[in-house]
Amino acid sequence: MVNEDPNQQEHDGSSAQEPGLCADPRASGHASVSAEPSVSAPTSVSIHPSVSTHPSSSAHPCIAAHPSSSAHPSTLAQAGGLAHPSSSGPEDLSVIKVSKRRWVVVLLFSGYSMCNAFQWIQYGSINNIFMKFYGVSAFAIDWLSMCYMLTYIPLLLPVAWLLEKFGLRTIALTGSALNCLGAWVKLGSLKPHLFPVTVLGQVVCSVAQVFILGMPSRIASVWFGANEVSTACSIAVFGNQLGIAIGFLVPPVLVPNIEDRDKLAYHISIMFYIIAGVATLLFILVIIVFKEKPKHPPSRAQSLSYALASPDASYLSSIVRLFKNLNFVLLVITYGLNAGAFYALSTLLNRMVILHYPGEEVNAGRIGLTIVIAGMLGAVISGIWLDRSKTYKETTLVVYIMTVVGMVVYTLTLNLGYLWVVFITAGTMGFFMTGYLPLGFEFAVELTYPESEGISSGLLNVSAQVFGIIFTISQGQIIDNYGTMPGNIFLCVFLTLGAALTAFIKADLRRQKANKETPENKLPEEEEEEESNTSKAPTTVSEEQL
């Protein structure tokens, strides 16, 4: 883990505009400015030549620059100007290199995200069985899902601040620990009169979710190269979707719809013990395996993020700048509409299917599984496509429009009486609806670079939770009073609005501009190892690059 020295001097504002800024890693005092031949008077500026490191620290590469600064990232830092004295073994920002550990990190995160998502939907997927066991209303069971959404809203900003202050590893440990704790608390609720205990366990898991949802884009940026970030973000989101899929499939199988409450308690306990054991194993693996960040930045954009990081960065000013970014504000709204519709559908799916197909609890879970599995496939395909094409705006808009089309078709076929038709239409809708989620994360990072990925993705998730609560309550009431078709039409209207607003988002891909400004000094992928003491020659930046 590498931390920037809080005593690091700030670069002179004028030095960012010099055409040939570079720092010699062998220098012990000031860095020099290497001017272009056309410049007659070279200028010297006082720049801190190195960043001291403390292995025990876990601070993050938080970004303090105004988003507009990303338009000229090469004026702020150069590959040669970010070199550190290698004799002391610190992180060398002039070297762009990916680590093999990155796949272990993203898969482990995906694992405990999956476990947390399973606990979110495990009640909703067998809503009618838990209603009977605890003797409560359908609305009370719905709140076991909605508490995830409600908890996220007030806790986002504190957790995002903790992410910037203490780093990825601390947030990962906290999230996986709370997820494990909540799973064990639920084991104390295996009596019909202990519904408040299961609520407590679910609330603890919902707090853990706050430490999980904003992580995919940050892990992708910190650990993966420029041509892998979208794929990595999709894999990180993939775990959450897989957990929801398993949450639809497994509970109806493990907990049958029987009248004997003692036998029902036994089946519920099996499910709770399994998830508690898995959560405990994942927590132990996070302690052992999860690292703060790789030794070298994996991309040019991430190298610039390290260079621009400041311990005095204003957290609130970063949020203010994000809300002044009109494109990002539009994305926050459109992402919230799409994800909120997905949350409502997931929570209420069991009720909708049982209304038209009584006694089909298992198939209701399988329909939910189909939606999520198709969405996972859509997410991975979208991530690979984005890494190759970089067409963020176009891909996002097409997927959103197809989500609307899929939702309309699903609405019209749900009550036809043919379950196989519902499987097909629900799967088609899920391919685009849940496939959109990682697209939103990555598009947000592009629009807001070099602001913190944790803050931008956190604001997207707040929007999703707010709309999720509104849509779940509203659609639930519409279904109870008017039926499933009016409830689904309600979602279709808002998804259409989201697609229309997406068309107005401009493709201001700031992170891509940062990666293209200056060629990267790439080394082959390898395990992190001690760097040699070879000094690096200064790098000169041309006027064309500026």
Side-chain angles (χ1 to χ4, degrees):
M1 293 176 287
V2 182
N3 184 27
E4 297 185 8
D5 192 339
N7 297 321
Q8 177 186 357
Q9 298 177 14
E10 294 183 0
H11 292 250
D12 189 348
S14 62
S15 67
Q17 300 174 3
E18 292 296 332
L21 178 62
C22 70
D24 191 336
R26 297 164 295 183
S28 59
H30 299 302
S32 63
V33 174
S34 175
E36 287 293 314
S38 59
V39 180
S40 59
T43 307
S44 63
V45 289
S46 177
I47 303 174
H48 200 297
S50 64
V51 180
S52 63
T53 58
H54 305 282
S56 62
S57 302
S58 59
H60 244 335
C62 82
I63 298 125
H66 193 285
S68 62
S69 66
S70 63
H72 308 284
S74 61
T75 66
L76 297 171
Q78 280 302 317
L82 299 176
H84 297 238
S86 56
S87 58
S88 59
E91 179 179 347
D92 187 349
L93 297 182
S94 68
V95 177
I96 307 300
K97 181 172 62 177
V98 293
S99 168
K100 289 179 181 177
R101 184 184 286 264
R102 69 194 189 280
W103 297 111
V104 178
V105 169
V106 75
L107 289 175
L108 181 56
F109 167 79
S110 191
Y112 72 82
S113 175
M114 172 192 71
C115 182
N116 183 261
F118 175 91
Q119 296 192 78
W120 168 59
I121 203 64
Q122 66 180 349
Y123 295 98
S125 61
I126 47 175
N127 183 292
N128 57 323
I129 296 176
F130 276 108
M131 283 171 56
K132 179 169 58 180
F133 180 73
Y134 287 116
V136 296
S137 66
F139 191 62
I141 301 298
D142 289 345
W143 268 110
L144 291 175
S145 295
M146 287 191 289
C147 73
Y148 264 60
M149 309 174 202
L150 187 64
T151 305
Y152 190 89
I153 298 169
L155 292 182
L156 162 71
L157 295 182
V159 171
W161 178 83
L162 289 173
L163 176 61
E164 300 305 314
K165 185 72 174 176
F166 298 104
L168 276 175
R169 177 173 166 81
T170 300
I171 297 301
L173 286 171
T174 305
S176 56
L178 288 172
N179 186 60
C180 178
L181 176 62
W184 285 104
V185 169
K186 292 177 185 178
L187 282 165
S189 66
L190 296 174
K191 298 289 183 181
H193 65 281
L194 294 176
F195 182 70
V197 178
T198 210
V199 171
L200 175 62
Q202 190 74 341
V203 169
V204 173
C205 291
S206 71
V207 175
Q209 176 218 213
V210 187
F211 290 84
I212 295 172
L213 281 188
M215 295 268 281
S217 55
R218 171 59 70 91
I219 290 175
S221 295
V222 170
W223 282 91
F224 287 83
N227 294 325
E228 299 173 331
V229 286
S230 296
T231 302
C233 186
S234 297
I235 292 173
V237 175
F238 181 92
N240 186 273
Q241 302 305 309
L242 180 61
I244 298 173
I246 297 173
F248 276 120
L249 177 66
V250 173
V253 175
L254 292 180
V255 185
N257 189 3
I258 55 180
E259 297 299 326
D260 190 326
R261 285 192 174 185
D262 291 333
K263 290 183 179 179
L264 199 55
Y266 168 74
H267 289 290
I268 293 173
S269 71
I270 292 175
M271 179 173 69
F272 284 174
Y273 270 115
I274 291 174
I275 196 64
V278 171
T280 303
L281 175 62
L282 289 168
F283 175 52
I284 294 171
L285 289 175
V286 170
I287 295 174
I288 297 172
V289 175
F290 206 99
K291 287 191 65 177
E292 175 62 29
K293 61 181 178 182
K295 184 173 184 178
H296 301 285
S299 67
R300 177 65 187 165
Q302 194 61 26
S303 179
L304 289 174
S305 295
Y306 293 162
L308 295 172
S310 167
D312 300 321
S314 172
Y315 181 71
L316 290 178
S317 66
S318 178
I319 297 176
V320 171
R321 287 196 298 272
L322 288 176
F323 278 108
K324 288 181 179 179
N325 185 335
L326 179 59
N327 293 319
F328 176 68
V329 171
L330 287 174
L331 182 62
V332 167
I333 296 172
T334 57
Y335 182 91
L337 291 170
N338 189 298
F342 171 69
Y343 292 159
L345 277 174
S346 300
T347 303
L348 302 172
L349 181 64
N350 174 270
R351 288 166 62 182
M352 287 190 284
V353 173
I354 296 301
L355 278 174
H356 294 288
Y357 307 93
E360 294 287 355
E361 290 90 358
V362 174
N363 276 323
R366 289 172 180 167
I367 291 171
L369 173 70
T370 303
I371 292 174
V372 179
I373 291 294
M376 289 159 55
L377 178 62
V380 172
I381 292 174
S382 298
I384 295 172
W385 169 254
L386 284 184
D387 278 333
R388 295 188 177 184
S389 69
K390 309 301 181 186
T391 53
Y392 289 85
K393 161 69 180 293
E394 295 81 357
T395 304
T396 302
L397 181 59
V398 169
V399 170
Y400 215 124
I401 292 173
M402 293 306 298
T403 298
V404 176
V405 174
M407 184 67 199
V408 170
V409 174
Y410 168 77
T411 300
L412 296 176
T413 57
L414 179 61
N415 60 354
L416 292 181
Y418 300 101
L419 264 177
W420 65 270
V421 175
V422 178
F423 272 95
I424 294 173
T425 56
T428 304
M429 175 190 67
F431 180 87
F432 296 104
M433 179 176 282
T434 57
Y436 169 85
L437 302 182
L439 289 179
F441 279 133
E442 282 301 291
F443 198 14
V445 175
E446 292 293 337
L447 294 175
T448 60
Y449 179 86
E451 302 292 348
S452 167
E453 300 92 342
I455 299 176
S456 62
S457 59
L459 291 174
L460 290 184
N461 282 320
V462 163
S463 176
Q465 313 306 322
V466 170
F467 282 112
I469 292 173
I470 294 172
F471 289 167
T472 301
I473 294 175
S474 301
Q475 189 184 16
Q477 294 299 313
I478 293 173
I479 289 173
D480 290 341
N481 294 305
Y482 303 102
T484 57
M485 182 170 286
N488 287 327
I489 291 174
F490 167 79
L491 292 184
C492 290
V493 170
F494 283 97
L495 286 173
T496 303
L497 174 63
L501 291 176
T502 300
F504 290 97
I505 301 175
K506 295 181 180 178
D508 182 16
L509 307 182
R510 299 176 175 183
R511 184 173 62 179
Q512 295 305 315
K513 292 177 184 177
N515 280 322
K516 291 177 181 178
E517 283 278 336
T518 306
E520 296 178 352
N521 295 336
K522 282 217 172 190
L523 290 184
E525 176 185 318
E526 61 184 37
E527 284 292 345
E528 296 165 25
E529 58 186 15
E530 193 71 24
E531 284 293 297
S532 67
N533 294 331
T534 307
S535 60
K536 297 176 176 59
T539 302
T540 301
V541 187
S542 67
E543 290 178 353
E544 289 77 14
Q545 287 172 328
L546 292 177

